[in-house]
Amino acid sequence: MPDAMDGIVRAFLEELGGLVLLGGQTLRQLFRRPFERELWLEQLFQLGVRSLTITNVTLLFTGMVLALQSAYSLGAYGGKPFVGDIISLSIVRELGPVLTALMVAGRVGAGITAELGSMAVTEQVDALRALAASPVKKLVVPRVGALVLVLPLLTILADAIGIFGGLLMGIYEIGQTREYFMNHVLSALLVQDIASGVGKTFFFAALIGVIACYNGLHASGGADGVGKATTNTVVAGSIAVIISDFFLTKIFLWF
């Protein structure tokens, strides 16, 4: 049993070391010329624009459900007037960034790993190295960089959609007016709330991107290996988002 635990710990530390190494290589290659403009634009479209549907639909119905549950729970204590306050703070500070990151980890993370994993098992990554091209520069940097750029934008839009979902329930289910609901939303939100929520997404994006690229580049064993790497990315990316959210929340609360 101790030997098995030692093996698990050793494997975990090796994986963690590989992720840190890949993250450092990505950061170094990020500022080196030439800048692959076409690759960046393609990834901005694939990772950003094509993720709009899943993130917006998720936050729309999250805002609607949160409004209904808040009104039901607070109704007994005369707290229905504060539904807008609760929804705005909950979505902007926590639910918006975390749910958007989890949806992106599932969709984008899995896609990146499957794509790079297929290239790895068919030796296309080795071919890049043989041509003296850096796989990190060509494959990792555009994907991680694009993800760091688009996830905050996706989160801001998803926050707005989530609050809109709460507004719909506030009007048609709770009986509040649009002006009343939005006044509570705007009075509850501070710049620090928006900054802390959006600020987390840069870290979420970097974690998801590096984990997805690492698993993809280290995939082996054909289609079965690519499938396992994809599953590992979704699991590890989601866990990384949840765990890092706790520590980031503690850090942002100091400011």
Side-chain angles (χ1 to χ4, degrees):
M1 190 66 177
D3 292 339
M5 288 300 298
D6 289 343
I8 293 173
V9 172
R10 201 159 37 241
F12 173 77
L13 292 177
E14 289 177 0
E15 293 280 330
L16 185 60
L19 289 171
V20 172
L21 179 61
L22 180 60
Q25 292 174 345
T26 304
L27 192 59
R28 285 197 301 271
Q29 293 288 344
L30 179 63
F31 301 103
R32 290 185 178 176
R33 294 179 181 273
F35 299 112
E36 308 287 349
R37 184 183 305 173
E38 292 184 1
L39 293 177
W40 277 75
L41 291 176
E42 173 66 17
Q43 293 305 317
L44 287 171
F45 176 76
Q46 294 292 340
L47 306 184
V49 176
R50 291 197 167 183
S51 298
L52 284 171
T53 301
I54 188 172
T55 56
N56 289 341
V57 169
T58 299
L59 264 299
L60 174 65
F61 284 92
T62 298
M64 294 168 68
V65 170
L66 186 60
L68 290 175
Q69 292 284 13
S70 299
Y72 175 80
S73 301
L74 296 176
Y77 307 99
K80 278 189 178 182
F82 303 104
V83 169
D85 305 63
I86 294 174
I87 289 175
S88 60
L89 290 173
S90 300
I91 288 179
V92 170
R93 292 189 67 95
E94 284 298 323
L95 293 178
V98 172
L99 288 179
T100 302
L102 290 176
M103 294 300 105
V104 169
R107 180 196 174 275
V108 171
I112 291 174
T113 301
E115 185 178 3
L116 297 188
S118 299
M119 297 178 68
V121 298
T122 56
E123 300 182 351
Q124 295 180 53
V125 176
D126 293 332
L128 281 175
R129 294 192 181 99
L131 295 171
S134 171
V136 175
K137 178 70 173 177
K138 293 285 186 179
L139 302 177
V140 178
V141 170
R143 288 167 172 80
V144 175
L147 197 53
V148 171
L149 290 177
V150 300
L151 188 57
L153 300 177
L154 288 173
T155 300
I156 292 171
L157 182 58
D159 288 346
I161 296 294
I163 293 174
F164 175 72
L167 172 64
L168 291 179
M169 293 300 97
I171 294 174
Y172 296 108
E173 292 290 335
I174 305 174
Q176 297 178 350
T177 64
R178 178 177 61 85
E179 293 78 10
Y180 183 87
F181 184 91
M182 291 307 301
N183 283 337
H184 273 266
V185 169
L186 296 176
S187 63
L189 284 177
L190 300 175
V191 175
Q192 296 93 318
D193 300 321
I194 300 172
S196 65
V198 176
K200 294 177 184 179
T201 59
F202 293 98
F203 298 94
F204 294 160
L207 287 171
I208 294 168
V210 171
I211 290 171
C213 292
Y214 177 83
N215 286 328
L217 292 175
H218 289 80
S220 60
D224 183 59
V226 174
K228 290 180 179 177
T230 302
T231 302
N232 290 339
T233 292
V234 176
V235 173
S238 300
I239 292 175
V241 168
I242 297 298
I243 294 176
S244 63
D245 177 58
F246 169 77
F247 293 102
L248 291 171
T249 299
K250 293 282 288 184
I251 292 171
F252 281 115
L253 286 175
W254 291 342
F255 300 98

